[in-house]
């Protein structure tokens, strides 16, 4: 019996030690599970914080990208408008330059005609070739007077051949030039020495200037320097200018065909009743040539100023377009960088979210294991207590 009791005691002690060991193991496992559960909560907190930080950073990048994209769109619109303005300004510049070149070419042509005295007789051209060597030669009548465009035809008609007369300072100069023409057999020319010009009687029929359609004396429609005013009076001081031939005929009839009358279209009513008219052909247009050249020179000056302004405006606009292009490219690069950062930020947010989900899932699994472990611990305790009793 003693041996049997000792064996039972030994078996009981062994069984008790077994459950004691299992109980200690179960408690150790339970402690480990609780530690892991605590670590899981800590990890969840860390990753949730990281998720919020990543989300905030992602939203900040997305917001910045949106604002920059809107700014880029406005900048692109402005760049497009400025490029169109630049193109329009460039086209305007080219067109203005083309017109300017037309004016310059026309002026050069007129200047060459004037310098060569095209439209004048050979004798006139020969005299004007030696003008520089003979200071006493003032020039032809057409070069010394200025007439408004609307009066050119009337004044050229009134002057007739006198428009090509050569004005000199003295009779001696005129005589010298006549000898020059004779010796060279260059033809004939009419000279108007300023020291010999005598103004005929003043126009006496001043009432005629008040008649309907009368514009005035031809001399009053001409502009010239003071030294040539007596010459102008000599050539044109007794010629009446009227607007139409009908008015001219009425005035001529009223004053018994005693007046020399010229119309704006070039009809000529002579004293005594003779009339000259028809299609006015004036290929030389000597007065108009000088006037046109003066107008062209003024026009060319204005066109040059305008071209300079257009060129300056174009250069400024070109700099602005280049600057806008650089800004646009810079912002485009920034948008591309932000797009990369946005993608990276989205991946970080997704990673953090997935990590939080994994931690929560692992904790749920750990909680289930902990419940099972607690049940296991309770069973071991019950077995231990049963053996111990």
């Amino acid at each position: 019996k003693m041996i049997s009791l000792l064996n039972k005691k030994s078996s009981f002690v062994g069984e008790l030690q077994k459950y004691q060991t299992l109980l200690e193991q179960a408690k150790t496992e339970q402690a480990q599970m609780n530690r892991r559960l605590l670590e899981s909560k800590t990890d969840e907190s860390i990753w949730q914080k990281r998720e919020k930080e990543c989300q905030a950073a992602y939203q900040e990048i997305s917001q910045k990208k949106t604002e920059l994209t809107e700014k880029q769109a406005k900048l692109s619109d402005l760049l497009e408008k400025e490029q169109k303005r630049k193109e329009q300004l460039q086209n305007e510049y080219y067109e203005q330059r083309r017109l300017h070149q037309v004016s310059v070419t026309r002026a050069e042509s007129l200047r060459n005609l004037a310098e060569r005295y095209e439209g004048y007789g050979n004798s006139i051209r020969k005299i004007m070739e030696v003008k520089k060597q003979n200071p006493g030669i003032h020039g032809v009548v057409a070069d010394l007077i200025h007439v408004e465009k609307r009066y050119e035809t009337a004044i050229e008609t009134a002057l007739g051949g006198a428009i090509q007369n050569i004005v000199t300072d003295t009779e001696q100069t005129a005589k010298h030039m006549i000898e020059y023409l004779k010796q060279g057999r260059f033809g004939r020319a009419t000279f108007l020495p300023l020291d010999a010009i005598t103004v005929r009687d003043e126009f006496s029929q001043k009432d005629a200037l008040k008649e309907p359609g009368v514009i005035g004396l031809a001399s009053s429609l001409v502009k010239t320097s003071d030294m040539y005013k007596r010459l102008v009076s000599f050539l044109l001081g007794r010629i009446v200018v009227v607007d139409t031939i009908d008015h001219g005929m009425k005035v001529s009839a009223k004053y018994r065909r005693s007046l020399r009358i010229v119309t704006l279209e070039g009809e000529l009513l002579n004293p005594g009743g003779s009339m000259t008219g028809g299609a006015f052909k004036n290929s030389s247009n000597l007065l108009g040539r000088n006037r046109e050249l003066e107008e062209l020179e003024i026009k060319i000056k204005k066109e040059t100023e305008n071209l300079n302004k257009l060129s300056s405006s174009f250069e400024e606009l070109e700099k602005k377009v280049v600057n806008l292009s650089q800004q646009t490219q810079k912002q485009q690069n920034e948008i591309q960088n932000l797009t990369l950062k946005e993608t990276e930020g989205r991946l970080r947010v997704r990673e953090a979210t997935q990590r939080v989900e994994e931690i929560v899932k692992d904790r749920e699994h750990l909680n289930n294991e902990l419940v099972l472990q607690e049940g296991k611990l309770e069973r071991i305790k019950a077995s231990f207590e049963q053996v111990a009793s």
Side-chain angles (χ1 to χ4, degrees):
K1 287 182 178 180
M2 285 294 292
I3 291 171
S4 178
L5 288 172
L6 286 171
N7 288 334
K8 287 181 179 180
K9 180 180 178 182
S10 176
S11 176
F12 169 75
V13 171
E15 189 73 16
L16 192 63
Q17 287 177 347
K18 171 187 172 184
Y19 283 111
Q20 182 68 36
T21 301
L22 289 173
L23 185 62
E24 289 176 357
Q25 288 177 350
K27 286 182 178 181
T28 300
E29 290 176 358
Q30 186 182 40
Q32 290 176 348
M33 288 181 181
N34 284 326
R35 180 177 57 77
R36 287 169 57 194
L37 190 63
L38 183 61
E39 290 175 352
S40 175
K41 290 181 179 180
T42 301
D43 289 344
E44 182 184 13
S45 177
I46 292 171
W47 280 100
Q48 282 179 340
K49 182 180 179 182
R50 184 176 297 180
E51 181 185 20
K52 289 180 180 180
E53 291 174 350
C54 291
Q55 186 66 36
Y58 170 75
Q59 289 177 351
E60 183 180 355
I61 292 172
S62 296
Q63 179 65 26
K64 188 175 180 180
K65 179 186 174 183
T66 300
E67 292 174 356
L68 199 59
T69 302
E70 292 175 354
K71 187 177 179 181
Q72 171 76 350
K74 293 179 180 179
L75 199 61
S76 297
D77 290 341
L78 180 60
L79 176 60
E80 185 178 355
K81 290 179 181 178
E82 294 303 299
Q83 285 175 332
K84 287 181 179 179
R85 276 187 59 206
K86 175 187 170 184
E87 184 178 351
Q88 291 172 353
L89 196 63
Q90 190 175 40
N91 292 336
E92 182 181 355
Y93 175 80
Y94 287 146
E95 178 62 17
Q96 291 296 323
R97 191 171 68 176
R98 184 187 68 80
L99 294 175
H100 175 69
Q101 189 58 45
V102 170
S103 299
V104 170
T105 302
R106 176 59 179 166
E108 288 177 353
S109 175
L110 289 174
R111 200 173 288 112
N112 289 335
L113 289 174
E115 289 174 356
R116 295 196 305 269
Y117 281 86
E118 293 291 335
Y120 290 87
N122 179 62
S123 59
I124 309 301
R125 291 198 297 272
K126 290 297 182 180
I127 293 295
M128 299 314 294
E129 285 176 2
V130 295
K131 180 184 176 183
K132 291 182 179 179
Q133 292 80 21
N134 296 273
I137 300 174
H138 287 241
V140 294
V141 171
D143 289 342
L144 304 178
I145 62 176
H146 301 276
V147 182
E148 291 183 28
K149 184 177 181 179
R150 57 177 175 163
Y151 301 136
E152 285 175 0
T153 300
I155 298 302
E156 280 212 36
T157 302
L159 286 170
I163 197 170
Q164 295 195 27
N165 290 355
I166 301 171
V167 179
T168 62
D169 55 353
T170 65
E171 288 181 312
Q172 288 301 317
T173 300
K175 178 183 175 183
H176 176 67
M177 289 298 101
I178 289 173
E179 289 297 326
Y180 170 74
L181 291 175
K182 282 182 180 180
Q183 291 175 6
R185 295 183 179 276
F186 296 133
R188 298 168 62 85
T190 301
F191 294 87
L192 297 172
L194 292 176
D195 67 341
I197 293 297
T198 302
V199 179
R200 290 169 284 183
D201 296 338
E202 187 178 353
F203 184 73
S204 58
Q205 295 170 304
K206 293 185 178 180
D207 290 341
L209 302 179
K210 300 177 183 178
E211 297 294 334
V214 174
I215 298 173
L217 289 175
S219 58
S220 68
L221 306 179
V222 173
K223 296 179 181 178
T224 187
S225 62
D226 292 340
M227 72 169 61
Y228 304 124
K229 285 185 177 179
R230 187 172 60 175
L231 174 65
V232 170
S233 295
F234 170 75
L235 295 172
L236 301 170
R238 298 179 64 81
I239 302 176
V240 178
V241 179
V242 298
D243 54 0
T244 65
I245 191 170
D246 290 332
H247 282 140
M249 291 172 65
K250 289 179 182 179
V251 173
S252 179
K254 184 174 181 178
Y255 289 86
R256 300 179 181 275
R257 310 290 191 275
S258 62
L259 300 177
R260 185 175 178 84
I261 300 172
V262 64
T263 70
L264 293 179
E265 292 187 354
E267 292 93 2
L268 185 62
L269 288 74
N270 297 300
S274 66
M275 299 171 62
T276 303
F280 189 86
K281 293 185 178 180
N282 186 5
S283 57
S284 60
N285 190 19
L286 302 180
L287 290 178
R289 188 164 67 190
N290 292 338
R291 185 259 315 155
E292 185 180 357
L293 183 57
E294 291 176 0
E295 291 177 352
L296 278 172
E297 287 173 349
I298 295 173
K299 183 181 179 184
I300 288 170
K301 183 179 179 181
K302 290 182 179 179
E303 287 175 343
T304 301
E305 292 174 353
N306 187 41
L307 282 173
N308 290 335
K309 289 180 181 178
L310 285 174
S311 180
S312 298
S313 298
F314 179 79
E315 289 177 1
E316 290 178 3
L317 193 56
E318 191 171 32
K319 290 179 181 178
K320 186 175 182 181
V321 168
V322 170
N323 186 38
L324 285 173
S325 298
Q326 291 174 346
Q327 290 183 38
T328 303
Q329 186 60 47
K330 182 180 178 181
Q331 289 190 357
Q332 186 62 40
N333 294 338
E334 290 180 8
I335 290 173
Q336 290 177 354
N337 292 333
L338 287 173
T339 301
L340 293 176
K341 291 180 180 180
E342 187 181 40
T343 302
E344 293 174 359
R346 190 185 301 112
L347 292 175
R348 290 194 186 97
V349 170
R350 185 182 301 169
E351 180 186 3
T353 301
Q354 289 176 349
R355 184 59 182 144
V356 169
E357 291 174 353
E358 289 173 359
I359 290 172
V360 171
K361 186 176 180 180
D362 290 344
R363 190 168 65 249
E364 289 177 355
H365 180 69
L366 191 59
N367 281 327
N368 292 333
E369 287 184 353
L370 188 59
V371 170
L372 294 175
Q373 185 65 23
E374 287 176 352
K376 179 180 177 181
L377 186 59
E378 290 296 326
R379 289 194 298 274
I380 292 173
K381 283 183 180 180
S383 299
F384 177 79
E385 289 174 356
Q386 184 179 1
V387 171
S389 60

